[in-house]
């Protein structure tokens, strides 16, 4: 089915992205609510990101997991490319975290179990996301977290030089040192994410990039007193310099910090997606 813009009723703009805007939209025939991401070809060419967009579409359209935002399809006209995306009603988890300051350990553990299951599913298809951070997570109306923005995802292994735009806080040492990297980069980012959920700021945050680099490559971070021993134990098993020593994702769902906060039927469901 080839969609065109006339198949949709366009609602309010949800927000501005880097290469275009996201609108609430409804497909006329099915009355289905979606998020329509409109990208301007001129901007894509200027940003030299057309290949990245093609990869994002290819990868995200084939992924099926409750915590991975669905890409239902795409279409284009002479000036724009349109991505038909699943609509997550509560928006960016980043804004919710900013408003709340930090999450309690039970809320954080439930998000991390879902994200860990989704990443394990992606890795089973040799897809690494490479850009796991609160800005790329959405929350649906029922409070389920969704990994979005596969713009930086690639098929593992990869040594692609990531033009270091945006925050470095989530980059693992091997990407900072432009070494070969594999799925284990997402495991590191998950450790950074748990820390940021519980503390409200990322572990290696510093004023300048140089200091952030130094802290990441030397794995220098501390916990505030309120972080529980179980949470510290899990984070310390993810933020490890040598990628091979990082906790494998299938062990994540069995870690006591997760099992003590996430109900067993939810854990069983999340584990069922891991082949
Ligand atoms: C920069 O802030 C941005 C940018 C783009 C979208 C939102 C936003 N998105 C969604 N849901 C979405 C977005 C996608 C691709 N699927 N579901 C919901 C919201 C609700 C309130 C405010 C903002 C929202 C924010």
């Amino acid at each position: 089915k080839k969609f065109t813009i006339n198949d949709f009723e366009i609602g309010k703009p949800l927000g501005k992205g880097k290469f275009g805007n996201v609108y609430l939209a409804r497909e006329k025939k099915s009355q289905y609510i979606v998020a329509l991401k409109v990208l301007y070809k001129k901007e894509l060419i200027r940003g030299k990101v057309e290949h990245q967009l093609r990869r994002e579409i290819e990868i995200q359209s084939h992924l099926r997991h409750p915590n991975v935002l669905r890409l239902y399809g795409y279409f284009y006209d002479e000036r724009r490319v349109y991505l038909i995306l699943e609509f997550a009603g509560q928006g960016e988890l980043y804004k919710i975290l900013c408003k709340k300051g930090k999450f309690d350990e039970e809320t954080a553990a439930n998000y991390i179990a879902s994200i860990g299951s989704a990443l394990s599913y992606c890795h089973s298809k040799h897809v690494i996301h490479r850009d796991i951070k609160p800005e790329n997570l959405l929350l649906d109306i029922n409070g389920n977290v969704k990994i979005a923005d596969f713009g930086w995802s690639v098929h593992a292994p990869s040594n692609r030089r990531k033009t270091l735009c945006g925050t470095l806080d989530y980059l693992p040492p091997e990407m900072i040192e432009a070494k070969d990297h594999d799925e284990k980069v997402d495991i590191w980012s998950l450790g950074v994410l748990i820390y940021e959920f519980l503390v409200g700021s990322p572990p290696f945050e510093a004023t300048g990039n140089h200091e952030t680099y130094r802290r990441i490559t030397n794995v220098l971070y501390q916990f505030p007193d309120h972080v529980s021993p179980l949470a510290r134990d899990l984070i310390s098993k993810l933020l490890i310099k040598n990628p091979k020593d990082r906790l494998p994702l299938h062990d994540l769902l069995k870690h006591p910090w997760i099992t003590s906060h996430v109900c067993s039927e939810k854990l069983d469901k999340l584990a069922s997606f891991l082949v």
Side-chain angles (χ1 to χ4, degrees):
K1 165 110 186 61
K2 271 283 154 230
F3 285 110
T4 73
I5 191 65
N6 301 318
D7 294 317
F8 297 89
E9 282 157 336
I10 308 295
K12 67 169 184 164
L14 289 166
K16 310 244 172 296
K18 223 179 325 185
F19 296 102
N21 305 336
V22 182
Y23 297 87
L24 191 57
R26 182 168 56 194
E27 203 275 321
K28 288 173 185 167
K29 281 197 195 58
S30 63
Q31 295 290 291
Y32 205 80
I33 298 289
V34 295
L36 208 58
K37 192 171 186 179
V38 181
L39 302 152
Y40 286 88
K41 287 183 181 176
K42 231 173 53 248
E43 294 301 305
L44 292 172
I45 292 162
R46 197 198 312 245
K48 297 194 186 62
V49 288
E50 313 96 287
H51 69 283
Q52 208 173 305
L53 177 65
R54 258 188 274 277
R55 197 167 48 217
E56 176 179 354
I57 292 171
E58 175 58 30
I59 286 174
Q60 201 161 349
S61 58
H62 289 94
L63 295 176
R64 297 280 191 282
H65 184 285
N67 301 105
V68 172
L69 195 78
R70 280 295 309 280
L71 178 89
Y72 298 118
Y74 71 100
F75 55 94
Y76 47 85
D77 58 25
E78 66 286 348
R79 289 174 42 232
R80 291 164 288 234
V81 178
Y82 303 84
L83 303 185
I84 309 166
L85 290 157
E86 176 184 357
F87 172 61
Q90 294 190 59
E92 294 177 290
L93 193 61
Y94 176 71
K95 283 186 196 150
I96 297 165
L97 178 59
C98 286
K99 217 174 288 169
K100 284 194 75 169
K102 56 183 188 287
F103 295 136
D104 60 71
E105 301 220 349
E106 179 168 356
T107 305
N110 275 275
Y111 290 152
I112 295 300
S114 299
I115 297 162
S117 170
L119 283 177
S120 188
Y121 166 80
C122 292
H123 292 179
S124 70
K125 295 182 175 300
H126 302 295
V127 170
I128 43 180
H129 187 280
R130 294 203 311 178
D131 204 9
I132 294 297
K133 57 187 177 185
E135 293 85 332
N136 291 338
L137 300 171
L138 293 166
L139 211 51
D140 74 4
I141 205 71
N142 302 316
N144 299 308
V145 63
K146 305 272 179 175
I147 299 179
D149 198 346
F150 280 74
W152 280 104
S153 59
V154 288
H155 281 97
S158 153
N159 63 353
R160 218 164 296 316
R161 247 330 257 127
K162 175 185 178 98
T163 49
L164 300 186
C165 58
T167 171
L168 307 175
D169 282 306
Y170 278 75
L171 287 183
E174 63 272 21
M175 281 187 78
I176 284 202
E177 293 152 359
K179 290 182 183 151
D180 282 2
H181 53 272
D182 59 9
E183 291 89 347
K184 291 289 188 180
V185 302
D186 289 336
I187 313 277
W188 171 278
S189 303
L190 202 57
V192 177
L193 194 65
I194 304 175
Y195 184 101
E196 182 160 8
F197 280 175
L198 296 180
V199 175
S201 55
F204 308 109
E205 192 172 58
T207 34
N209 282 353
H210 184 75
E211 177 58 14
T212 305
Y213 275 27
R214 192 182 69 81
R215 292 184 184 181
I216 292 171
T217 49
N218 294 289
V219 197
L220 297 175
Y221 67 98
Q222 284 159 345
F223 292 110
D225 298 346
H226 65 79
V227 180
S228 73
L230 280 181
R232 293 171 191 236
D233 179 74
L234 176 54
I235 292 169
S236 65
K237 287 176 172 146
L238 302 171
L239 297 184
I240 293 178
K241 177 144 184 158
N242 182 342
K244 290 179 178 44
D245 296 336
R246 291 173 199 157
L247 189 75
L249 272 177
H250 53 77
D251 291 341
L252 177 91
L253 294 185
K254 290 181 273 187
H255 189 279
W257 184 67
I258 297 288
T259 55
S260 63
H261 288 300
V262 183
C263 66
S264 51
E265 52 270 7
K266 177 165 174 179
L267 273 179
D268 293 345
K269 184 167 177 294
L270 291 171
S272 71
F273 290 97
L274 317 190
V275 285

